[in-house]
Amino acid sequence: MPDRPYIRSAYKNWFEEHILVNDESPFEEILSKMASIGVIIPNFNQGGSIAETIESILSQTVLPDEIVVIDDASTDDSVEIIRSLSSEVPILRLIRNKKNRGVSYCMNLGTREAQSDLIIYRAADDVFIQNAISNAQKAFQA
């Protein structure tokens, strides 16, 4: 897992609250074995829903290591909304296409740009159900 202090801190806080921890805590060992998770969101003119989608990701019990939004040359206010959120959320990254290329192109670009081991694709107007990322992570743990 890449060294991301804000993610490390969130996991460590959860770990300490839910698992008995002593001076020889296995936290760092467990964290190093966890696959990193990224969320890819293609966006085209979803200013009315993109903030809710991103907020649903940020309210998960397990946070992703990165959220990559690929904007497909939107003409609405969605880019401004994403930029505003990204100034407050260090795991959120915006990539913009100069011209509209379609959802498949955006998903492929997001996959190439992501740095995570596991990728979750989400539409810009979808809301994550509670524990979605945690459940995905558990499915890939050995």
Side-chain angles (χ1 to χ4, degrees), residues 43-52 54 69 71-86 92 94 96 124:
N43 175 69
F44 178 70
N45 288 343
Q46 290 296 324
S49 60
I50 190 68
E52 184 179 8
I54 293 169
V69 179
D71 181 72
D72 203 18
S74 292
T75 57
D76 69 351
D77 62 345
S78 56
V79 170
E80 290 78 20
I81 293 168
I82 298 162
R83 281 188 176 143
S84 174
L85 289 169
S86 69
L92 178 59
L94 171 64
R96 295 187 67 193

Side-chain angles (χ1 to χ4, degrees), residues 61-107:
T61 54
V62 172
L63 292 176
D65 295 281
E66 63 181 340
I67 303 169
V68 181
V69 179
I70 310 298
D71 181 72
D72 203 18
S74 292
T75 57
D76 69 351
D77 62 345
S78 56
V79 170
E80 290 78 20
I81 293 168
I82 298 162
R83 281 188 176 143
S84 174
L85 289 169
S86 69
S87 69
E88 302 170 20
V89 180
I91 61 172
L92 178 59
R93 184 165 44 125
L94 171 64
I95 299 172
R96 295 187 67 193
N97 291 335
K98 292 182 180 178
K99 67 178 188 174
N100 188 279
R101 306 292 298 264
V103 69
S104 295
Y105 179 90
C106 292
M107 292 171 73

Side-chain angles (χ1 to χ4, degrees), residues 1 9 13 20 22 25 32 34 36 40 44 52 59 66 68-69 76-78 84-85 94 97 107 116 122 133-134 140:
M1 172 182 280
S9 174
N13 290 342
L20 180 63
N22 57 34
S25 169
S32 69
M34 293 172 59
S36 58
I40 307 297
F44 178 70
E52 184 179 8
S59 69
E66 63 181 340
V68 181
V69 179
D76 69 351
D77 62 345
S78 56
S84 174
L85 289 169
L94 171 64
N97 291 335
M107 292 171 73
S116 298
R122 184 58 67 202
I133 295 174
S134 174
F140 282 93

